[in-house]
Amino acid sequence: MPAQTQMAATPPPSTAGVFPVSAIHRGMHGVAYTVFEGTQPEPMDVEILGLLHNALGPGQDMILARLHGAKPEYTGVVAGMSGSPVYIDGKLAGALAYRIGEFSKEPIAGITPIEQMLQVRDMQKTVPMEMAATSTGAETGPIRPIETPLVFDGFSAAAVELWNKHTPGLGLTAVAGLGGGGGSQHQPEPIIPGSAVSALLVRGDLEISATCTATYVDAKKLLACGHPITQFGPVSLPMTKAEVLATLPSPYNAFKIVNTTDTVGSFTEDRQTAIAGRFGVAARMIPVTLHITGAGTPRELHLEVVDQPQITPSAVMVSVFQGLMESNNYTAETSYRVRSTISMEGYQPVALDEMVAPTELGPANMIAALMVGSDFSRLYDNAARRTPIRSVDVTIEAVPKRLTAELESAVSTTTTMHAGDTVTIEATLRPYHGEVRNVRIPVKLPATLPDGPVRLLISNGAALDRLLQPPQAGGQQLDVSQTIAQLNSQHPNDRLYVTLLAPSAQATVEGRTLPTLPISMANALEPLKQNHKLTLSGESAVPLASVGVDAMLSGEQVLNLMVE
């Protein structure tokens, strides 16, 4: 009698026992379960072809099998099928996990033995979260893990492209819109072996998810995939049920189209032979809120982003990028005023205020997303951080035109003056496609200026920050408080600044800038240069005045004056 006529409609419980890999040999038949459509796993006949010794690493064998049945023979080995449990004589033998060849005419797959997966379930200790992903023994050549697509629900193709560019080492195939989130959708069916399960990176008004299949399920834990998603080791990712809308056959890239549904716990381990989840455990998430105003109806996007070092900064960045595209008011010429607040437990908030406009480097929404992502990364990736990020709140005002201006020239109304005098700086600004603007800035010189030549820097905020926040000596990283202080002291880029370049020493110590130091103090600080805690400069930057220009300003100029 053909093996498939004896297949049970539902998989045995995980308490049915384990079929050891040592007892497996060519010619055996088993049953695998996966969801092709809906939520109910369907059986497939599995013909054992033999063992591939050391295919997954030293002492880690892979079971080679051929799938039989109308559906697997039509669809082939499908992305999202990873983790589909395989039973022999009613006992759990392993999980479908590997694809053999690129364009195979037969549904031949590699099976991860269940003994190797149970090691992940039984792990008591974890390695630090900073652990980088490492490759498995079967990621190159004709044997590859069955793909686990990273589905971007609500994101454009441009957002997915930005993600791929900034997370090249994640090893997941990112796709836009083939599936989605169902936060309000209830799925009454319990998770059983063969059910589709999803891990979320972002949830809320936008969603990023990865879906595979549950292999082993007990009252507290489950195992899925049969291979890593990221292999980050310890993780904290929301674990949800999933509904398969359809399975798309393709000789190039067959995959399941999936909606995520109820959150049931958290994935806590992502290892070489399985990902492990715990029921009823909440994942660590960072609330992100985007307030978008300007032309059109104000909108808000409410998101939660996973708290995972290798993922979070890019997830925040791509979410901001997509939020700025979600409007009929978006155009290639749109500019933005971006005000963001990053709150972290135990520290004062980081408050940032920038004008962002399109340039030859790219559209404003991309520049704004990269800017928010960069500032967030400086805080989030700080090696000294030990407390969680509480929230990220971004308010964005859209302006339907390109607000850029270039400093064309600057002059002083007088070139000879006395200490304490007020001089007027006349600056000429050339806006994008607009009339030239003349700006007058009264500047009071310090009464303590010595006689002789002095220089004034006329510039945007970025040029001033480069003087006041030079790179740390020896490449040392600032601690959290110093990083927050430095971020909060950044100068907005929509103002024109006048800065005195005084002929006196300036020191930068642990992120703090000390201008106009007496020679005696500069000499006293000199020993700090030996352990890279001090940067000394022979010229001090002293901001004197600024004026708003209502545009993202570029350019700088130095004026030479004489004090008598």
Side-chain angles (χ1 to χ4, degrees):
M1 181 180 293
Q4 53 263 42
T5 62
Q6 303 173 3
M7 295 186 295
T10 58
S14 294
T15 55
V18 168
F19 197 95
V21 68
S22 59
I24 290 176
H25 57 80
R26 182 179 179 86
M28 284 183 160
H29 276 264
V31 184
Y33 291 85
T34 200
V35 177
F36 287 96
E37 189 170 320
T39 59
Q40 182 62 42
E42 299 180 43
M44 303 176 283
D45 178 52
V46 176
E47 176 191 356
I48 302 300
L49 301 178
L51 293 178
L52 291 176
H53 297 293
N54 300 320
L56 300 178
Q60 294 182 310
D61 296 342
M62 176 191 292
I63 306 166
L64 193 64
R66 180 185 289 116
L67 307 181
H68 292 283
K71 288 188 177 180
E73 290 175 10
Y74 177 63
T75 64
V77 178
V78 174
M81 192 179 278
S82 301
S84 299
V86 177
Y87 297 86
I88 298 177
D89 293 340
K91 295 183 178 182
L92 185 57
L96 298 179
Y98 290 89
R99 181 192 299 278
I100 311 299
E102 288 285 343
F103 302 100
S104 175
K105 294 183 178 180
E106 290 189 280
I108 295 177
I111 298 171
T112 301
I114 188 60
E115 294 102 318
Q116 298 174 21
M117 298 179 67
L118 291 174
Q119 293 173 9
V120 180
R121 180 200 64 177
D122 298 334
M123 294 182 73
Q124 298 298 318
K125 297 181 180 180
T126 59
V127 297
M129 287 188 67
E130 288 77 8
M131 168 185 175
T134 57
S135 60
T136 67
E139 288 188 353
T140 59
I143 303 176
R144 296 176 178 272
I146 299 173
E147 294 83 355
T148 305
L150 194 61
V151 177
F152 284 67
D153 176 39
F155 290 85
S156 64
V160 174
E161 183 180 351
L162 183 66
W163 169 274
N164 287 332
K165 183 177 180 180
H166 289 272
T167 55
L170 198 56
L172 294 174
T173 302
V175 294
L178 291 174
S184 60
Q185 181 178 347
H186 175 56
Q187 181 179 325
E189 298 86 356
I191 293 178
I192 61 175
S195 295
V197 291
S198 297
L200 303 186
L201 277 61
V202 174
R203 66 184 176 190
D205 292 329
L206 300 170
E207 184 177 285
I208 303 176
S209 62
T211 299
C212 59
T213 301
T215 308
Y216 166 95
V217 183
D218 64 29
K220 295 182 178 180
K221 298 180 181 180
L222 68 74
L223 297 173
C225 285
H227 61 67
I229 293 180
T230 63
Q231 205 169 343
F232 288 155
V235 295
S236 183
L237 308 174
M239 179 172 69
T240 77
K241 298 178 181 179
E243 176 189 15
V244 179
L245 301 181
T247 298
L248 183 67
S250 167
Y252 173 69
N253 183 24
F255 56 88
K256 298 181 181 183
I257 302 174
V258 172
N259 272 342
T260 62
T261 60
D262 301 327
T263 300
V264 294
S266 172
F267 286 107
T268 57
E269 298 289 344
D270 189 347
R271 303 287 178 169
Q272 180 175 342
T273 59
I275 63 171
R278 297 177 64 89
F279 292 106
V281 175
R284 298 186 308 275
M285 304 293 282
I286 299 174
V288 177
T289 305
L290 303 179
H291 312 267
I292 303 172
T293 64
T297 304
R299 296 178 299 114
E300 285 192 358
L301 293 179
H302 297 275
L303 314 169
E304 288 184 307
V305 176
V306 66
D307 189 357
Q308 186 72 30
Q310 303 90 337
I311 296 173
T312 304
S314 293
V316 170
M317 174 196 66
V318 75
S319 297
V320 171
F321 176 79
Q322 182 59 41
L324 294 178
M325 292 193 71
E326 282 202 345
S327 172
N328 288 330
N329 297 308
Y330 168 75
T331 70
E333 295 296 301
T334 302
S335 301
Y336 302 100
R337 175 168 291 285
V338 181
R339 297 180 176 91
S340 54
T341 302
I342 304 171
S343 299
M344 187 168 69
E345 191 172 309
Y347 295 90
Q348 71 177 91
V350 174
L352 303 165
D353 186 346
E354 294 285 354
M355 175 69 75
V356 183
T359 69
E360 65 278 0
L361 299 177
N365 61 338
M366 179 178 293
I367 296 172
L370 292 172
M371 180 189 69
V372 172
S374 174
D375 290 337
F376 177 82
S377 294
R378 286 182 61 185
L379 187 60
Y380 185 84
D381 293 339
N382 192 293
R385 183 174 68 88
R386 294 293 180 268
T387 57
I389 304 289
R390 283 178 173 168
S391 63
V392 178
D393 192 276
V394 184
T395 298
I396 301 166
E397 178 187 356
V399 182
K401 58 182 177 179
R402 181 181 294 199
L403 294 177
T404 60
E406 181 181 359
L407 175 62
E408 194 169 78
S409 64
V411 297
S412 172
T413 53
T414 179
T415 57
T416 303
M417 62 214 64
H418 301 287
D421 283 355
T422 296
V423 300
T424 299
I425 303 299
E426 295 183 347
T428 301
L429 307 180
R430 182 171 294 278
Y432 176 78
H433 287 182
E435 296 292 332
V436 170
R437 294 173 53 193
N438 293 312
V439 178
R440 295 171 63 88
I441 312 173
V443 178
K444 183 174 177 59
L445 300 177
T448 56
L449 265 183
D451 293 348
V454 296
R455 302 195 302 156
L456 293 181
L457 173 68
I458 318 301
S459 73
N460 60 4
L464 177 55
D465 287 336
R466 286 195 295 270
L467 294 176
L468 295 177
Q469 300 179 2
Q472 282 293 102
Q476 287 195 344
Q477 189 177 44
L478 302 177
D479 66 22
V480 175
S481 295
Q482 294 161 357
T483 299
I484 291 174
Q486 197 170 86
L487 286 169
N488 282 336
S489 65
Q490 289 181 157
H491 293 81
N493 61 355
D494 61 344
R495 299 186 68 83
L496 179 65
Y497 295 88
V498 179
T499 304
L500 172 67
L501 302 178
S504 56
Q506 174 176 290
T508 302
V509 184
E510 296 180 341
R512 293 178 300 146
T513 299
L514 308 174
T516 61
L517 288 179
I519 294 297
S520 58
M521 184 175 292
N523 290 336
L525 292 173
E526 182 72 24
L528 293 177
K529 293 178 66 176
Q530 303 301 319
N531 54 13
H532 304 294
K533 290 186 177 181
L534 172 73
T535 299
L536 272 177
S537 171
E539 193 171 55
S540 289
V542 182
L544 298 179
S546 70
V547 62
V549 298
D550 196 29
M552 189 173 75
L553 183 64
S554 61
E556 58 188 84
Q557 186 172 334
V558 175
L559 303 180
N560 294 296
L561 308 177
M562 181 64 68
V563 175
E564 296 180 342

